[in-house]
Amino acid sequence: MRVVVAGTGRLGAAILEPLLESSHEVAGLVLNGQRTRGVWRRYQATSPLLGLLDAPVRIARQSAIPMVWLDQMELSHVDAVANLKPDLLITCGFGIILKKPLLSIPTIGCVNVHSSLLPKHRGPMPFNWVVLQGDTETGVTFHVTTSRIDGGDIIDQQSLPVGEHDTAMTVYRRCCDLARQRVSAVVDSIAENGLRGTQQDETESTYYPPLRLDDLRIDWRWDAREIHRLVRAGTPYLPAHFKAGRRRVGIERASHHPRHVDACPGCIVQNDPYVTVATGAGTLQIQQAASMTSLGLPWPNAFNTPRIGTILQ
């Protein structure tokens, strides 16, 4: 069976590599052309996180797999995918919503790999929201791609636990590992039985949009456990942040403690060995932080330790 993979990052690599070792032919790699522009391109050379976007490209070059950059649903872009003559198209971490001209190209159909237990956490950043919502379980879903976002029949679904110290990145990595373990068996099953799946229960569906920087602004009146979830949900994409004087500071690593302190929320109660801040319930210990740029990315200089009693915003 001729399989075309449309994906980026660690998840794209996790799907691409096992297929190259399978009995199926990887006929091409489709990449999101929009991600080569603007801030992504400027920071890709220096950021380890954004550099992960290139992982499938490196694999494709090493294996001499044809690559197609899909930017829009224009005829020339769609024709470039059609020329790969796929039986099956698998999307994974792909930023463009497939429409009918593309969905109709593969002879068997299209499958998406989603990093949540659908129908929960539909949308582009499920691993962030899983942590932010305090879920204790998530997983990976292979489902039929339709015109509805993450709404097609479920072909295969596997779960994994989410711990209280997991971050969005650790959840994402474990989802990629789980997808890597399952993809060959899923494609083998499709080759033998076609696209057969189980309809999603729409009464259980939830959708979450991309996290914005404002969604990760800390309110020190919240419970310390809730603030800690915010930190873990943003790590390392967009850090949870607060104001220290005129600077915006992003927290990259922290821990929470339930003990009560007689101090107002946002007040620094300790700065050795780490800055500890009173919250609405408990305290948050800031173990790693940095000033932030206007783009919301951490700036490589340390968060200077403020005086005890200083109130953070």
Side-chain angles (χ1 to χ4, degrees):
M1 184 165 63
R2 288 176 62 85
V3 181
V4 169
V5 175
T8 56
R10 186 183 292 266
L11 184 58
I15 296 301
L16 190 58
E17 288 178 321
L19 290 177
L20 286 170
E21 299 174 359
S22 72
S23 60
H24 306 285
E25 179 186 358
V26 179
L29 174 66
V30 180
L31 296 156
N32 184 346
Q34 295 174 340
R35 289 190 178 181
T36 66
R37 300 177 181 177
V39 64
W40 294 100
R41 176 58 70 190
R42 291 198 300 274
Y43 281 90
Q44 198 164 351
T46 57
S47 169
L49 173 63
L50 297 179
L52 289 174
L53 294 173
D54 269 346
V57 174
R58 292 194 296 270
I59 295 168
R61 286 173 177 164
Q62 291 168 2
S63 303
I65 298 171
M67 289 184 287
V68 171
W69 293 90
L70 180 67
D71 199 349
Q72 300 176 26
M73 292 293 166
E74 295 177 358
L75 184 59
S76 60
H77 295 239
V78 173
D79 283 347
V81 178
N83 290 338
L84 298 173
K85 299 183 175 8
D87 296 311
L88 182 70
L89 175 64
I90 302 179
T91 55
C92 40
F94 197 61
I96 296 177
I97 298 173
L98 303 191
K99 297 181 181 179
K100 189 174 180 179
L102 257 179
L103 292 173
S104 61
I105 289 174
T107 55
I108 295 177
C110 302
V111 171
N112 182 51
V113 186
H114 188 72
S115 301
S116 84
L117 295 175
L118 292 175
K120 291 186 65 177
H121 296 295
R122 291 174 177 172
M125 301 176 74
F127 27 86
N128 300 85
W129 286 102
V130 159
V131 174
L132 191 56
Q133 296 291 319
D135 289 8
T136 57
E137 183 183 50
T138 188
V140 173
T141 304
F142 289 78
H143 68 94
V144 178
T145 308
T146 67
S147 56
R148 288 186 307 138
I149 297 175
D150 303 324
D153 290 355
I154 294 173
I155 302 168
D156 185 82
Q157 189 172 78
Q158 305 291 325
S159 64
L160 57 85
V162 179
E164 63 177 13
H165 298 294
D166 271 317
T167 67
M169 176 56 86
T170 63
V171 171
Y172 172 63
R173 286 175 174 170
R174 291 166 61 209
C175 284
C176 291
D177 292 342
L178 187 54
R180 180 187 296 272
Q181 296 169 19
R182 293 299 305 162
V183 61
S184 294
V186 170
V187 174
D188 286 346
S189 177
I190 292 171
E192 183 176 349
N193 304 310
L195 284 182
R196 295 183 181 180
T198 303
Q199 187 174 0
Q200 295 188 39
D201 183 354
E202 292 299 322
T203 64
E204 298 291 327
S205 68
T206 57
Y207 174 86
Y208 294 96
L211 277 176
R212 303 167 302 170
L213 195 59
D214 283 348
D215 296 325
L216 294 165
R217 183 179 300 160
I218 292 172
D219 187 330
W220 295 108
R221 294 170 296 182
W222 296 343
D223 187 293
R225 183 183 296 272
E226 187 178 359
I227 296 173
H228 188 222
R229 279 209 307 265
L230 196 71
V231 173
R232 294 188 293 115
T235 305
Y237 302 91
L238 289 174
H241 57 92
F242 60 91
K243 282 286 190 70
R246 295 183 178 181
R247 291 187 302 167
R248 182 163 57 182
V249 177
I251 301 178
E252 298 169 337
R253 187 163 54 89
S255 62
H256 73 278
H257 303 276
R259 67 179 182 274
H260 173 74
V261 293
D262 188 17
C264 63
C267 185
I268 294 174
V269 296
Q270 182 178 329
N271 57 21
D272 184 24
Y274 299 108
V275 172
T276 301
V277 185
T279 72
T283 60
L284 189 81
Q285 187 181 80
I286 302 174
Q287 296 161 345
Q288 186 173 341
S291 299
M292 295 171 64
T293 69
S294 59
L295 292 170
L297 300 173
W299 195 253
N301 65 290
F303 167 48
N304 295 328
T305 303
R307 299 189 310 274
I308 292 176
T310 301
I311 299 176
L312 304 176
Q313 297 177 325

